[in-house]
Amino acid sequence: MKQSRRQFLKNMSAMAATFAMPNFLIAKSAVAKQENLTEWKISGSHWGAIRAKVINGRVEEIRPFEYDQYPTEMIKGIKGLIYSEARIRYPMVRLDWLKNREKSDKTHRGDNRFVRVTWDEALDLFYQELERIQQNYGPWALHTGNVGWRSTGQFHSCGNHMIRAIGMHGRSVSTAGDYSTGAGQTIMPYVLGSTEVYSQGTSWEIILKESENIIFWASDPVKNLQVGWNCETHEAYKYLEQLKQKVEKNAINVISVDPVKTKTQNYLGCKHQYINPQTDVPFMLAIAYVLYTEKLYDEKFIKVYTVGFEKFIPYLLGKTEDKVAKTPEWAEKICGISAQKISEFARMLAGKRTQLIFGWAIQRQQHGEQPYWMGAVLAAMLGQIGLAGGGISYAHHYSSIGVPESGAAMPGAFPLNVDEGQTPKYDNHNYNGYSAIIPVARASDSLLHAGETINFNGQKIVYAPYKMAIFTGCNQWHRHSERNKMKKAFQKLETIVSINYSWTATCRFSDIVLPACTPFERNDIDAYGSYSNRGVIAMQKLIDPLYDSRSDFEIFKELCRRFGKEKEYCRNMDEMEWVEKLYEDCRKENEGKFAMPSFQKFWQIGYVLFPEGKPWVRHADFRDDPELHALGTPSGFIEIYSNKIASFNYENCKGHPMWFEKSERSHGGPKSEQFKFWLQSVHPDKRLHSQLCESKELRDTYSIQDREPLFINPDDAKQLGIAHGDLVRVYNDRGQAIVGAHLSDDYPTGVVRLQEGAWYSPLDEKIGSIDTYGDPNTMTLDIGSSDLAQAVSANTCLVNIEKFNGNAPKPNGFTGPIEVKI
């Protein structure tokens, strides 16, 4: 066949590019066509909407969506996520488990030796294990409560797919609560009538206009608003930009109450009120003491809108059994703030319209219920709950809460539960005396203390000694505390199945590992703005699934096929039929209020945007009429004293907020002589929990010698002989890790930070093995916050630090498994 020289060179160039690129990195369609095809596609993510340039089936460039005026640099990690060395390429089975199944040597879990199998073999093994568990034990032996933050997308919500599919086979043990807000979401319904932590808050526009004081209490919105539950809009940043301008003009008094100088405080240039770690409650109690004794509190508000204040005051004044008045002088010795400053702080709050904005970190500690409860008491004493620019919020750092809702309906999701009228294959309700639900943060305890009974939110929970666990879209070896304890717990399990797109530590400690595709390798639809409801985003498949990965939908449909439920599972619809249905249902619900194009037009355009919503004040209706708009508390009012909680008779969570000493606390607290530093493990700045940690391009922007950075005060580092960039060992009696020293004046002496979500990378599977990358949960404490919430207590953690000497092992957590041929 004749061809021009130009065409010949063009063809040779395309062939050369193809040969230079491994076939597994080229989408299947592009391998077939071998042509220079360039497309721009739209998609969404937790880090915002994007435009992606795709050339010959490979993502070459990522740009922020044009309506995102404050995009995060996290989107630079998307290519690294898709093409990560840590991608799960094929179905894999742990070597010893494949040989011996449930009788395998559990101490080998985590040794990273796996055997490649076909999809049919892997799904057959998965199904056979489900059958064995239900036949030999029953629903108490299967744990399905771990679904995590998931990937974005309403149809491909991985937790929904797993729970629906497994529910069609049989029942299982589920979980209550979550790791983010476990203590807060349990205590607040008793105090303010809802979880509060996931509730829309007073609009930023109103706060900026009406507030005279804004107190960011352990809250860092500039850092945390980069991500959202759905596709994030980042609209809240325009209000933070306006707040910065007001701070510069001294138009609003803004204070950050935190042991460290946060990203928000540095951005705003606002005041910083240092406080010793874990001592917020003594500070708040002393503020309440000043408000009460100096008659600065709103007595009328207390009488009209609250109950139980008279039962709290004796404790505040030291007239109960502890005989300790909660004076500023008493608090000073604990929280590290002078009595004079405490009094001045209280008077400042009372003198002006004050908006309290709490973060989630202070409830992720032992007795984490108390600071949230006491914060509500302060807000009630100030009497500004329900007023524009006043009151309290527990969520303004999350998913652009504070941006007004458009009022538009958002797309639904793939159904979570078994359809009405259907029954599972094994319709067994017998849990053998064990509880069908356990608090999510007590997952390890359930295995290590099987059959024991614990208190939980007014109930008695009997730990189920479950034999099999399924994790999908969830890195349990990121979010749970105390890694060496987890190793012991996981050795109790007979079978662990993980479905994910990257080789997280959870996958390494599993028996059957199934490769899911990333959210950028499938078609979907997502809400644009979790709370603002600003639009709908098309998640167009950027490339075909790499390697041998599949969507969760395809994985679980094939699993259901093995017991004759695949048609019920998918309702006889494929991926695009589901995506179109979710969109059209949304369009129908918005008819007459908001115009939406046909699905075909929408898919071509890639998005629909709705008008901005109207400003709103949280709790305003309750303030206007507390009887007509009663809160969801037992009394309908703000409960400063809870008769319900008091009736539980818990020693560590009584009828009103109190100060409880921690099992370990820095700055003169328990164990502070043995371990010198408080380890703060906050939400990271450049990833979403552990998502994007596998993206080397993004990780290289913050890691030190390929390790997670440990932020430490320069004076502390100098005393330890540590320079910026050195490798250091951080350790306590629970674990140890090698990290890189990042010196910063933002951190006070005695306080260090390791951001959570760092991939656990133990040197080997042995208990006590050093973590080669820097996961803080190697050292954190795994105890319940209290008998009420039984929530995570990760921020109750003390460590020691020393310079690492010798040859440090390379981080080993970002590569695939050791493939064994049999």
Side-chain angles (χ1 to χ4, degrees):
M1 180 181 293
K2 293 183 179 181
Q3 57 180 330
S4 68
R5 183 174 183 274
R6 180 179 180 183
Q7 185 63 42
F8 173 78
L9 292 174
K10 180 179 179 182
N11 290 344
M12 288 299 293
S13 176
M15 290 174 64
T18 299
F19 288 132
M21 187 186 302
N23 267 356
F24 59 72
L25 291 181
I26 307 175
K28 298 177 181 68
S29 59
V31 172
K33 295 178 182 178
Q34 300 292 1
E35 60 186 31
N36 188 20
L37 178 64
T38 299
E39 299 177 278
W40 279 97
K41 297 183 178 182
I42 191 171
S43 189
S45 73
H46 290 299
W47 318 291
I50 60 166
R51 298 279 188 180
K53 185 179 184 180
V54 181
I55 302 177
N56 290 341
R58 181 179 172 86
V59 177
E60 296 291 354
E61 183 182 348
I62 299 290
R63 294 180 183 174
F65 182 46
E66 53 269 26
Y67 286 96
D68 188 344
Q69 300 302 304
Y70 301 88
T72 170
E73 64 178 311
M74 288 187 197
I75 64 172
K76 297 177 182 177
I78 290 176
K79 281 180 60 180
L81 181 152
I82 297 172
Y83 300 110
S84 169
E85 188 179 5
R87 281 294 297 267
I88 303 171
R89 302 182 182 188
Y90 315 105
M92 305 288 275
V93 180
R94 185 170 67 88
L95 175 62
D96 196 61
W97 190 91
L98 188 61
K99 291 179 177 180
N100 300 299
R101 300 288 183 95
E102 72 273 13
K103 297 176 181 174
S104 70
D105 186 345
K106 316 302 190 300
T107 63
H108 287 324
R109 275 217 184 94
D111 69 3
N112 209 28
R113 294 184 300 164
F114 285 83
V115 178
R116 179 180 173 181
V117 297
T118 67
W119 267 108
D120 280 340
E121 289 171 327
L123 289 171
D124 285 346
L125 291 171
F126 190 177
Y127 173 60
Q128 289 163 15
E129 283 303 285
L130 291 175
E131 288 283 303
R132 182 181 67 82
I133 291 296
Q134 293 291 352
Q135 290 176 6
N136 294 357
Y137 302 111
W140 61 266
L142 178 63
H143 186 36
T144 57
N146 295 291
V147 293
W149 251 76
R150 74 187 179 103
S151 300
T152 41
Q154 293 297 94
F155 170 61
H156 286 292
S157 182
C158 44
N160 287 32
H161 286 283
M162 185 269 283
I163 292 172
R164 178 175 171 84
I166 301 304
M168 288 182 166
H169 184 266
R171 291 178 173 80
S172 58
V173 175
S174 187
T175 55
D178 61 39
Y179 287 86
S180 294
T181 67
Q185 67 181 254
T186 305
I187 188 69
M188 295 317 297
Y190 293 103
V191 181
L192 290 177
S194 78
T195 65
E196 294 294 315
V197 292
Y198 299 125
S199 300
Q200 177 64 288
T202 298
S203 301
W204 278 110
E205 181 180 335
I206 292 175
I207 292 173
L208 292 172
K209 181 180 179 181
E210 302 292 344
S211 296
E212 296 172 281
N213 295 320
I214 298 176
I215 312 299
F216 289 109
W217 207 306
S219 182
D220 197 355
V222 171
K223 172 171 66 69
N224 294 330
L225 286 171
Q226 296 178 85
V227 302
W229 180 252
N230 295 104
C231 183
E232 181 52 44
T233 65
H234 301 122
E235 290 175 283
Y237 281 100
K238 72 178 180 181
Y239 300 109
L240 292 172
E241 193 172 59
Q242 294 170 26
L243 180 57
K244 178 181 175 67
Q245 295 169 2
K246 285 181 174 289
V247 169
E248 291 172 352
K249 298 175 182 178
N250 294 317
I252 301 181
N253 181 43
V254 181
I255 303 175
S256 173
V257 179
D258 204 292
V260 309
K261 295 179 180 178
T262 65
K263 189 174 184 179
T264 300
Q265 190 257 321
N266 284 328
Y267 170 76
L268 295 176
C270 65
K271 300 172 186 175
H272 174 225
Q273 176 57 68
Y274 168 81
I275 185 170
N276 285 340
Q278 300 188 85
T279 64
D280 301 86
V281 172
F283 182 30
M284 289 189 243
L285 285 168
I287 292 171
Y289 184 92
V290 174
L291 294 177
Y292 182 78
T293 57
E294 296 186 8
K295 300 188 182 304
L296 298 174
Y297 74 104
D298 190 329
E299 187 174 358
K300 182 179 179 182
F301 185 90
I302 291 294
K303 287 181 178 179
V304 174
Y305 297 99
T306 77
V307 295
F309 187 66
E310 71 285 354
K311 294 182 179 180
F312 167 70
I313 290 302
Y315 170 76
L316 188 69
L317 300 179
K319 296 181 179 180
T320 53
E321 59 186 33
D322 71 345
K323 304 298 182 184
V324 176
K326 310 310 180 292
T327 65
E329 290 74 19
W330 164 80
E332 176 181 358
K333 299 172 185 178
I334 304 171
C335 67
I337 305 172
S338 72
Q340 179 181 343
K341 282 190 175 181
I342 293 173
S343 297
E344 290 172 354
F345 198 95
R347 295 164 190 148
M348 174 269 297
L349 294 180
K352 297 179 179 179
R353 184 67 57 89
T354 298
Q355 177 73 55
L356 301 175
I357 297 178
F358 278 75
W360 292 346
I362 57 171
Q363 55 87 56
R364 287 196 290 267
Q365 61 171 298
Q366 193 178 14
H367 315 114
E369 300 88 348
Q370 303 304 313
Y372 268 22
W373 196 352
M374 192 58 216
V377 172
L378 283 185
M381 292 181 73
L382 294 173
Q384 297 177 14
I385 293 175
L387 291 180
I392 191 165
S393 163
Y394 299 90
H396 268 81
H397 64 283
Y398 174 64
S399 293
S400 285
I401 280 176
V403 176
E405 298 177 28
S406 68
M410 290 291 101
F414 185 77
L416 175 69
N417 298 312
V418 177
D419 292 340
E420 186 177 351
Q422 297 179 3
T423 56
K425 178 180 179 180
Y426 292 93
D427 195 15
N428 184 355
H429 295 261
N430 183 10
Y431 280 79
N432 202 29
Y434 303 117
S435 297
I437 295 176
I438 58 174
V440 68
R442 306 274 57 80
S444 290
D445 284 347
S446 192
L447 294 169
L448 294 172
H449 304 284
E452 290 187 10
T453 300
I454 64 166
N455 293 315
F456 170 57
N457 199 15
Q459 308 170 53
K460 296 291 184 181
I461 298 292
V462 181
Y463 282 141
Y466 53 96
K467 307 294 183 181
M468 178 179 178
I470 305 171
F471 302 97
T472 178
C474 163
N475 188 1
Q476 184 72 357
W477 285 76
H478 138 252
R479 62 186 190 159
H480 201 86
S481 295
E482 203 168 336
R483 293 287 169 259
N484 287 309
K485 180 179 174 181
M486 286 185 70
K487 286 183 179 179
K488 294 175 185 177
F490 266 46
Q491 290 176 9
K492 302 285 186 181
L493 289 166
E494 294 177 356
T495 303
I496 306 170
V497 180
S498 284
I499 303 100
N500 213 318
Y501 51 73
S502 294
W503 277 99
T504 64
T506 302
C507 294
R508 290 175 178 237
F509 279 85
S510 296
D511 301 308
I512 301 172
V513 179
L514 305 179
C517 61
T518 71
F520 309 105
E521 298 164 327
R522 61 200 188 195
N523 293 304
D524 211 329
I525 188 174
D526 203 19
Y528 189 48
S530 303
Y531 287 84
S532 63
N533 295 356
R534 285 285 280 123
V536 181
I537 287 287
M539 296 181 64
Q540 298 170 351
K541 181 169 69 172
L542 305 185
I543 59 173
D544 288 337
L546 294 180
Y547 313 110
D548 207 8
S549 64
R550 298 179 178 180
S551 70
D552 295 85
F553 175 65
E554 293 297 331
I555 292 170
F556 285 106
K557 184 173 72 173
E558 287 303 309
L559 180 67
C560 288
R561 192 186 305 279
R562 281 157 171 77
F563 54 96
K565 297 273 191 178
E566 74 277 10
K567 290 184 179 179
E568 295 175 15
Y569 166 76
C570 65
R571 294 182 182 172
N572 282 323
M573 290 188 287
D574 62 19
E575 177 188 70
M576 286 308 296
E577 287 173 328
W578 266 105
V579 173
E580 182 172 354
K581 171 182 167 48
L582 295 178
Y583 177 84
E584 289 296 344
D585 286 350
C586 175
R587 185 161 77 114
K588 184 177 181 180
E589 196 168 348
N590 282 314
E591 279 182 1
K593 298 183 297 181
F594 300 96
M596 295 177 67
S598 67
F599 175 74
Q600 290 73 21
K601 188 69 173 177
F602 158 75
W603 197 254
Q604 179 185 3
I605 298 171
Y607 62 89
V608 173
L609 294 181
F610 301 121
E612 293 185 11
K614 296 180 180 180
W616 179 80
V617 176
R618 181 148 191 83
H619 298 125
D621 53 353
F622 167 69
R623 189 181 186 101
D624 289 343
D625 192 329
E627 293 186 0
L628 182 61
H629 300 288
L631 300 178
T633 60
S635 66
F637 297 94
I638 299 167
E639 299 208 358
I640 294 173
Y641 184 95
S642 169
N643 286 314
K644 188 70 173 178
I645 293 178
S647 72
F648 300 154
N649 293 315
Y650 296 154
E651 287 299 316
N652 49 21
C653 189
K654 295 184 178 292
H656 57 73
M658 297 174 63
W659 162 242
F660 295 93
E661 183 58 273
K662 315 304 171 189
S663 58
E664 54 190 79
R665 180 174 62 82
S666 62
H667 298 80
K671 293 191 176 182
S672 60
E673 290 299 316
Q674 182 182 2
F675 297 104
K676 305 298 184 183
F677 296 92
W678 177 58
L679 176 64
Q680 183 192 57
S681 51
V682 301
H683 190 285
D685 188 30
K686 293 190 178 183
R687 57 178 181 257
L688 167 55
H689 298 311
S690 69
Q691 293 185 44
L692 291 179
C693 194
E694 72 267 50
S695 178
K696 188 176 187 304
E697 292 85 344
L698 192 58
R699 195 170 68 249
D700 284 347
T701 65
Y702 59 82
S703 61
I704 295 176
Q705 293 196 49
D706 296 323
R707 321 282 170 159
E708 189 71 10
L710 177 83
F711 297 92
I712 183 172
N713 179 274
D715 291 338
D716 282 336
K718 184 177 180 180
Q719 287 192 12
L720 295 167
I722 294 170
H724 185 87
D726 283 348
L727 292 184
V728 300
R729 183 173 81 104
V730 53
Y731 65 95
N732 58 20
D733 50 5
R734 292 183 289 271
Q736 56 178 333
I738 305 171
V739 295
H742 184 116
L743 277 57
S744 172
D745 288 319
D746 287 342
Y747 300 85
T749 56
V751 173
V752 295
R753 172 182 288 187
L754 267 182
Q755 298 177 121
E756 54 93 354
W759 275 24
Y760 180 54
S761 307
L763 187 61
D764 53 47
E765 74 277 14
K766 297 180 178 63
I767 293 172
S769 176
I770 196 166
D771 175 16
T772 62
Y773 179 70
D775 174 12
N777 279 325
T778 309
M779 284 75 63
T780 53
L781 178 65
D782 183 23
I783 61 171
S785 56
S786 78
D787 284 348
L788 185 76
Q790 294 289 359
V792 68
S793 298
N795 277 318
T796 300
C797 182
L798 299 185
V799 298
N800 279 335
I801 296 163
E802 65 183 16
K803 186 174 180 178
F804 187 88
N805 295 311
N807 295 321
K810 291 183 178 180
N812 61 8
F814 301 103
T815 57
I818 301 167
E819 186 174 339
V820 179
K821 305 288 186 181
I822 60 172

